[in-house]
Amino acid sequence: MWLVIFIVVAAVLWWFINSSSKGTTKQAKSATTDPTPVTVSLSVSQGFSSSTQVGIQPTEHGISIGTNLPLPLTLVGLDRNDAERLAKAIEQRDTYTARGWLTTLVAAKNIRCKEIDDWISSYKPKFEAAVNQAITSSQDWAVASDLDKEDLLAEFQLHAIENLSTRPSDTATALSLLTEEPSDLSVDDELLARFGDRQELYPVLLSAFSYGDKVQIVPIGSYNRKEYEELAALGYLKRGSDIDIAAILSRMTLKQMTEVAGEAATKKFTRKAAAIEFLKTLPDLSERISKVIAYRELFQVAPLEGIDVTEIAASYHYSGEVARLILNTLQSGAYVADEVARAKEFTPEGWELSADDCCPDCKKLDGKTWKRPPQKLPPFHIGCSCQLSWL
Ligand SMILES: [Zn+2]
């Protein structure tokens, strides 16, 4: 609708300017030397200005977030400030930006969500029993190789997850919750604590971890370059000429290596390994490389004493799943609450539930209609993707 208004305003403005330019030349001249500013102010729809307040309430178990929403969540380990920031992110529909922050917070403060924990404790035994049942009744299992067993197990697990009566609609997330929960949530605490008030660097370091000891090329202006520089300054990453030259060579293309060799090359390079062996014999290799690639944009993870990088990355991944579930569940509750609130002005003919891609229990309700908003509003459980819409 705003587009239409904008076009109308633009047309009127065009007509106005056009008709005044048809006036005397004198007038037109004075208009160019002494322009009268024409301000067109469009009041743009605020969209979520009427959004539902999330509501925060301390309880005996922790802090309840979303007391005004259909499904409040009880978070343990969160302080009041963090709770308010989380509520604000939901109110502003800014869960995308909030996700990184909440993931790091969950990892750093070992935050627990009671509703997620409750779901895990009631469904994990059912899930494990179903997987064991599938293994016992499988004829392939006994004769399968180790790799085939992995493949079969993934299949059994997926099947078991899909059939859990109530679960997060996203099966990969549900699987993570049931199989990837770190036995020790505090594995990353020591490393995280080192970042103090620079916690935003932590997820960047973790993404750097995922490259192992491979040299990473991070050109100026690219996403995270600033953070990479800071991490290098703090000693978590090696940068430029501090990186072992063989590691740098292995990241170069044959074309670049040919360029580095220049006149010195005795024959055309066809294989990287042979090219690297040859280049290593050049005494001024480092200087030659610096003419082909910018050393400043090369980074490599520095060895971290006493830190199990794989374990830490797994723990962070799990925290990410927990953060996403919390945000998605609260946000979908906020949308439903908004719809119910707005309907007071419009009085829709009825309400319909879409539960097509949710869990088996929710699917049973798909397409159900009500004259007025039902007593129990979605989300019905953690990670529920059900939606309620007007008819
Ligand atoms: Zn659902």
Side-chain angles (χ1 to χ4, degrees), residues 166-169 353-355 357-359 361-363 365 378-387:
T166 298
R167 55 158 168 81
S169 65
L353 187 81
S354 328
D357 62 349
C358 207
C359 57
D361 271 353
C362 285
K363 271 189 186 164
L365 304 170
F380 301 119
H381 52 83
I382 192 92
C384 173
S385 64
C386 294
Q387 286 171 342

Side-chain angles (χ1 to χ4, degrees), residues 335-347:
Y335 279 128
V336 171
D338 282 352
E339 290 294 273
V340 173
R342 276 188 212 136
K344 290 191 177 116
E345 301 158 24
F346 295 92
T347 325

Side-chain angles (χ1 to χ4, degrees), residues 56-65 67 73-78 112 114-115:
I56 301 171
Q57 181 72 53
T59 69
E60 53 172 320
H61 303 291
I63 291 191
S64 179
I65 311 249
T67 48
L73 300 179
T74 314
L75 301 185
V76 186
L78 203 70
R112 307 218 58 114
K114 191 180 171 291
E115 290 71 18

